[in-house]
């Protein structure tokens, strides 16, 4: 490996040893930046022999501290960013094989250039990488139609802890030859092996889209609208997001150029998008759907985007919401999922519990109602002390996560476990499942060199 493949200067490592929310800071022996899967495997072989911990890192956009080293300074960071080749795009088999360091937006562009569509879509798609997306089993706004990152991968290439390279890349849709090793590594957060490349599924390129923001009375109306959208639009329904009024107000207040598309204020909103490979039909379908929802009293009002600019404006209300929370002070955030039919009851009970525990706090729950994933964020009371509010994080986490368990949900829907939820996982995961996870970890990484201190 060339000399510039290793960063050892502390000043040059700063960007690698902390994560976006600045919640976790670490130290590292060095940052290693290999250019090939073989170099990744060689680094792991050396670290395995020396029992040195290896922290894999993609675009460093993760939100649970899974990509940051600990404070010991005894671990290395293995950056996958220079593994950035798109090895093949195969329209005939609707697949694309890319390396782990390929930025998600670039993978989307490569698919589009071949007349195909790669549907994984995240707020961080301009900087997150395919390897990180797979390691954390990323979700995003299109899970309702296409599934998570796990559902979009046919095969992976993985560098194992002892330096062996597993080539499990495949274009096959059917392969019943034993254990599904691909899915074993996806979502393992770099604790079982380091994904160096993947073969991804592609789909027909959408040629028509229709997007609407719908004003609603409450989450029960949102659930009724979702059921109606599924029944009327079927596979054309590619996104169904919910936003509370307070979230819209935050965006209008703090995001330049944001505007309220509806004439009046509504307690809740649904952002609906339909897409189809046909050149027309989605707008008519969504218009009919909205008309039926209004006639039935499910929806209170709706705005249908007539231009690309208007569509972007509707999505801006959803995509900039996390950023718009920052000027409002401290925010305690949760990435959870509950069964879709339980979302209205969960939201009502969560708000009551939060306000009883912290009067004046401002719940801002939003997200992917179409797949049950709610980002249950809680902004501090107006005028409150930020540090004092954030000091109540454990208290609020116990409250929200306890309610999630009551509804048979998950404490981590799409962000992963990392360092943030490692201890909590031990409390909520089935003990037999934890035993099996530890046994798999021991079998594949007996010295514990892969992303130590994360997940388990």
């Amino acid at each position: 490996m060339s000399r510039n493949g290793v960063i050892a200067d502390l000043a040059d490592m700063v960007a690698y040893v902390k994560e976006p929310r600045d919640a976790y800071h670490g130290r590292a022996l060095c940052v290693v930046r290999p250019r090939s899967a073989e170099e990744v495997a060689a680094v792991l072989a050396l670290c395995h022999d020396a029992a040195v911990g290896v922290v894999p890192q993609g675009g460093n956009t993760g939100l649970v501290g899974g990509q940051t080293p600990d404070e010991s300074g005894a671990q290395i960071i293995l950056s996958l960013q220079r593994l950035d080749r798109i090895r093949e795009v195969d329209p005939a088999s609707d697949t694309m094989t890319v390396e782990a360091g390929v930025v998600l937006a670039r993978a989307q562009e490569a698919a589009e250039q071949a007349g195909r569509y790669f549907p994984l879509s995240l707020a961080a798609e301009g900087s997150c990488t395919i390897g990180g997306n797979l390691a954390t089993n990323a979700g995003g706004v299109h899970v309702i139609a296409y599934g998570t990152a796990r559902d979009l991968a046919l095969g992976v290439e993985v560098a194992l802890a002892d330096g062996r390279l597993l080539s499990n890349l495949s274009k096959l849709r059917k392969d019943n030859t034993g254990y599904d090793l691909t899915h074993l590594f996806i979502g393992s957060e770099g604790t079982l092996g380091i994904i160096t490349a993947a073969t991804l599924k592609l789909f027909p390129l959408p040629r028509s889209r229709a997007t609407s923001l719908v004003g609603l009375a409450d989450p029960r109306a949102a659930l009724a609208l979702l059921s109606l959208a599924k029944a009327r639009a079927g596979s054309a329904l590619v996104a169904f997001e919910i936003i509370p009024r307070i979230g819209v107000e935050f965006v209008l207040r703090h995001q330049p150029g944001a505007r309220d598309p509806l004439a009046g204020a509504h307690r809740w909103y649904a952002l609906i998008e339909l897409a189809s490979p046909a050149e027309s039909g989605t707008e008519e379908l969504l218009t009919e759907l909205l008309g039926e929802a209004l006639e039935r009293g499910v929806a209170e009002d709706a705005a249908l985007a007539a231009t690309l600019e208007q569509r972007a404006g509707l999505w801006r209300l959803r995509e900039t919401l996390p950023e718009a929370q920052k000027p409002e002070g401290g925010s305690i955030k949760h990435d959870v999922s509950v069964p879709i039919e339980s979302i209205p009851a969960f939201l009502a009970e969560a708000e009551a519990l939060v306000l009883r525990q912290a009067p004046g706090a401002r719940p801002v729950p939003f997200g992917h109602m179409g797949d049950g994933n709610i980002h249950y964020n809680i902004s501090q009371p107006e005028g409150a002390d930020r540090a004092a509010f954030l000091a109540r994080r454990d208290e609020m986490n116990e409250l929200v996560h306890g309610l999630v368990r009551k509804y048979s949900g998950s404490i981590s829907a799409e962000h992963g476990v990392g360092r943030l939820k490692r201890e909590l996982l031990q409390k909520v995961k089935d003990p037999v499942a934890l035993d099996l996870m530890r046994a798999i970890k021991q079998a594949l990484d007996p010295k514990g060199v892969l992303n130590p201190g994360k997940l388990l």
Side-chain angles (χ1 to χ4, degrees), residues 144-162:
I144 186 174
Y146 299 99
T148 63
R150 175 177 280 117
D151 301 303
L152 297 173
L154 290 170
V156 291
E157 176 185 80
V158 182
L160 301 178
D162 60 7

Side-chain angles (χ1 to χ4, degrees), residues 249-271:
E249 290 174 353
F250 283 1
V251 174
L252 295 176
R253 192 179 302 159
H254 301 296
Q255 293 297 319
R259 55 177 295 272
D260 196 335
L262 301 179
H266 303 268
R267 292 187 63 198
W268 285 86
Y269 299 84
L271 180 60

Side-chain angles (χ1 to χ4, degrees), residues 191-235:
T191 62
L192 302 180
I194 297 180
I195 296 171
T196 55
T199 299
L200 307 171
K201 297 178 185 178
L202 301 180
F203 297 85
L205 189 67
R207 300 188 184 280
S208 65
R209 291 183 185 273
T211 310
S212 175
L213 186 74
V214 184
L216 302 164
D218 52 40
R220 291 193 180 280
L223 183 60
L225 181 61
L226 174 60
S227 297
L228 183 61
K230 288 178 177 178
R232 297 294 179 266
S235 61

